[in-house]
Structure formats: C-alpha cells, structure tokens
Amino acid sequence: MAKAVRFHETGGPEVLRYETVEVGEPGPGQVRLRHEAVGLNFADTYFRSGLYPVPLPAGMGVEAAGVVEAVGPDVAHVAAGDRVTYTGFLNTLGAYSTERLIPAAALIKLPDAIACETAAGMTMRGLTAAYLLRRIHDFKPGQSVLLHAAAGGVGLIVSQWAKLLGLTVIGTVSNARKGEVARQHGCEHVIDYSREDVAKRVRELTDGIGVDVVFDSVGKDTFEGSLDSLKRRGLMVCVGTASGPIAPFNPQILAMKGSLYLTRPALADYIADPAEKNALANELFAHVATGRIQIELNQRYALEDAVQAHRDLESRKTTGSSVFVI
C-alpha cells in the first residue's frame, strides 16, 4: 500500500499525519506516478495552517518527481517509464506520498542529466526564479535587485540566474552563515537584517538611488523597508508572506515613495499555458544541466518525518532546498 502525509485539521506541524492510502488506477487524463523525491516548500505551510483553505482532509505538498507507472485514457505526452517532475497549486496538492494519481497535464518530462531528487528540490523554486527574472520585468545588464531570503531555495537560484543576466544582487539574510552561502551563489552585497537597517543599507550601496526591483518573499515584516529600498518608479514584487500577510494600505503610499509599481504574482499564472511552462522549464533545465546554476539540496528527510521538516522550515533552520527522499 502507498503512504501519504495528510492533515484533517489546520494548525501547526503537529496536525500532519503519516497514513496508508489506496491509489487505484488512473482515469481519463491521469497517470499513476511513483515518487522518488518530494519537494518541501514554504507554501506547504500555508495549506497546513489554513492560510490557503482547502477541503479537509487533504493531502500535503505540490511538488515532486518520479516515474510514471501507468497512464489512463487520453494521455499522449507521457508514457509508462517516463521520468517526470511537477509543481502547481490545487491541481497537484498531495505530493507528500509514495504514489499518487495526478493529471498528466501537470507533468514535465525530465532530461537525463537531472536526477529526480534534484528535480524535486528545484521545480517550484526554479520555475519561480524563471518567471521572476524572465517574465515579471524586462531586466537589463547593470540593473539592481534586492532579494529577501537570499539563502533560501528560491533565493539561491535567483542569485545565480541574476548574475548570469548581469544584474547586481543585494541579498538579505538572518545570520553570518547564511550570508556566506548567499555570497557564494552570486549576491554581490549581503545585509544581515537582524543587525542592519535594510533600506538604509540599500541606499548606501546604491549611492542613494535605490534598487530597480525588490523580490520580497517575507511579507509583513519587510514590506515597508522594501518599498523604501526602491528607486523612483521601481517595482515591488510581493512573492510570499513568510512572516504573515501584508496589512491593508493606501495605494497613495506608492506615489509618495516615488511612483512605485507593485505586483503580487503567483507561479500558477505563469505556467498555466503549457507552451510558456515548457519554455521556462527548458531554460531552467539547460542552466542546471550545464552547471551554470547549482541546486543546493541541503536537507533530506524521510516522508514520515514531515512534522520535523515543517518545524525546521518555519524556524528558518534550513538553507537551499529541502526534499523528502522516498
């Protein structure tokens, strides 16, 4: 029998349960997938806590990689034996499992050069980095970016990719150890937000001008400082809320701080079109396969240790990517 991590009520990590589940055979448009590795993402905690409400009981996780075991009717682009990866939102919820049924449309074929474990640690993070750098803004060499959580899974990929594009990355971290990790992956400047005023330091590093774009995955705690770090007509990208949701605010503040732009994008809207998803994935895979971008798998867990994994993630003990190895 297959195993899965599920939750029957919302709350802290303790609500996660490791259970036996029955998978069954794939129906029209579905495949049965055997996982080799599953990604651990901060977004998982939003489902578990109820910030992203779903009918209960529910599965956990939206990213994994493995091998197609069987295909249902009307499935043409993958076949039994194919190595695949996936990420998504509600359509892929339930990734914390040894086997599952999943819509075939969500699957991306893996090139031979990329292992399933690597894919599970990079598909969501890598595609997020891809749309942030290749779709959100028309970046030009020499432009600057403030990147919060620079030593995290998304941060390390964004930093490396931004350097390939000729951008200057200023990264924020919570301690010296994470600062060194961020520097090793492309951050030209690192700010320890536990000791420094981020906006003030950004102004010092940019000769008082500010950065072109802020990628802010923290939310409530960093929102105001992020706005104050932008140059006139700069772009604020709210890409996550790790510290909590941003409080309501008067849009007039954007005018007062320099006619700023603000967006709150979601990965699902940038991979909804299969052609665009494949284009972003292919660009990501090419960088990883050639070594231009390194994927740091710094934490590995057994699936039955999901409670501890969530505790480590939320206490900011992790760097790079975390995966469950099946």
Side-chain angles (χ1 to χ4, degrees):
M1 296 291 286
K3 296 288 188 177
V5 174
R6 293 164 55 80
F7 61 111
H8 297 252
E9 59 184 341
T10 57
E14 67 280 356
V15 303
L16 299 178
R17 301 184 190 177
Y18 185 61
E19 301 177 336
T20 299
V21 295
E22 188 170 342
V23 175
E25 294 302 315
Q30 291 184 320
V31 308
R32 188 175 75 246
L33 184 63
R34 173 175 53 82
H35 288 152
E36 293 192 358
V38 175
L40 170 65
N41 295 287
F42 209 92
D44 300 345
T45 70
Y46 299 160
F47 288 103
R48 191 206 71 222
S49 69
L51 181 63
Y52 291 167
V54 293
L56 299 178
M60 174 57 61
V62 296
E63 172 187 40
V67 179
V68 175
E69 295 278 271
V71 301
D74 306 321
V75 174
H77 78 288
V78 293
D82 284 347
R83 298 168 60 254
V84 297
T85 187
Y86 67 85
T87 188
F89 194 62
L90 293 177
N91 66 322
T92 62
L93 192 64
Y96 287 20
S97 56
T98 57
E99 294 180 52
R100 69 172 302 180
L101 299 179
I102 187 170
L107 303 179
I108 305 168
K109 285 187 180 181
L110 276 177
D112 292 340
I114 297 178
C116 284
E117 194 171 313
T118 302
M122 73 174 225
T123 301
M124 173 175 275
R125 297 168 180 85
L127 288 176
T128 297
Y131 87 76
L132 290 176
L133 290 169
R134 307 300 282 162
R135 296 293 187 272
I136 285 284
H137 180 76
D138 185 17
F139 282 106
K140 301 291 192 300
Q143 290 187 317
S144 56
V145 173
L146 174 63
L147 173 65
H148 288 293
V154 173
L156 295 184
I157 299 174
V158 168
S159 296
Q160 294 175 81
W161 204 329
K163 190 171 184 179
L164 294 175
L165 297 175
L167 308 180
T168 297
V169 180
I170 302 172
T172 73
V173 296
S174 60
N175 56 54
R177 177 180 66 88
K178 289 188 175 183
E180 185 56 34
V181 172
R183 286 190 184 90
Q184 291 171 357
H185 290 80
C187 282
E188 189 163 330
H189 306 286
V190 173
I191 300 172
D192 183 340
Y193 66 77
S194 69
R195 300 187 300 106
E196 300 178 271
D197 182 315
V198 172
K200 180 181 178 181
R201 184 67 181 128
V202 167
R203 293 290 173 182
E204 292 172 352
L205 292 169
T206 60
D207 297 323
I209 296 172
V211 295
D212 294 275
V213 177
V214 174
F215 292 139
D216 190 336
S217 59
V218 179
K220 175 176 64 70
D221 291 351
T222 53
F223 181 68
E224 187 172 345
S226 292
L227 292 181
D228 289 338
S229 298
L230 283 165
K231 68 190 297 185
R232 181 177 288 119
R233 293 164 59 183
L235 172 63
M236 168 72 164
V237 185
C238 302
V239 73
T241 54
S243 67
I246 296 165
F249 68 96
N250 186 343
Q252 181 65 19
I253 195 174
L254 301 177
M256 294 170 61
K257 291 181 179 293
S259 298
L260 306 178
Y261 295 86
L262 182 145
T263 182
R264 178 47 172 110
L267 172 61
D269 293 314
Y270 287 84
I271 60 174
D273 175 21
E276 185 167 29
K277 179 172 74 172
N278 288 334
L280 291 173
N282 289 338
E283 191 169 357
L284 169 66
F285 291 161
H287 284 315
V288 174
T290 57
R292 293 189 294 267
I293 291 177
Q294 300 287 329
I295 305 301
E296 301 293 340
L297 298 179
N298 294 339
Q299 295 80 214
R300 292 172 171 82
Y301 300 91
L303 198 58
E304 55 264 40
D305 295 329
V307 171
Q308 185 60 52
H310 275 229
R311 286 176 176 155
D312 290 349
L313 185 66
E314 291 184 301
S315 63
R316 293 187 169 92
K317 291 183 178 178
T318 64
T319 61
S321 296
S322 304
V323 294
F324 297 101
V325 180
I326 308 302

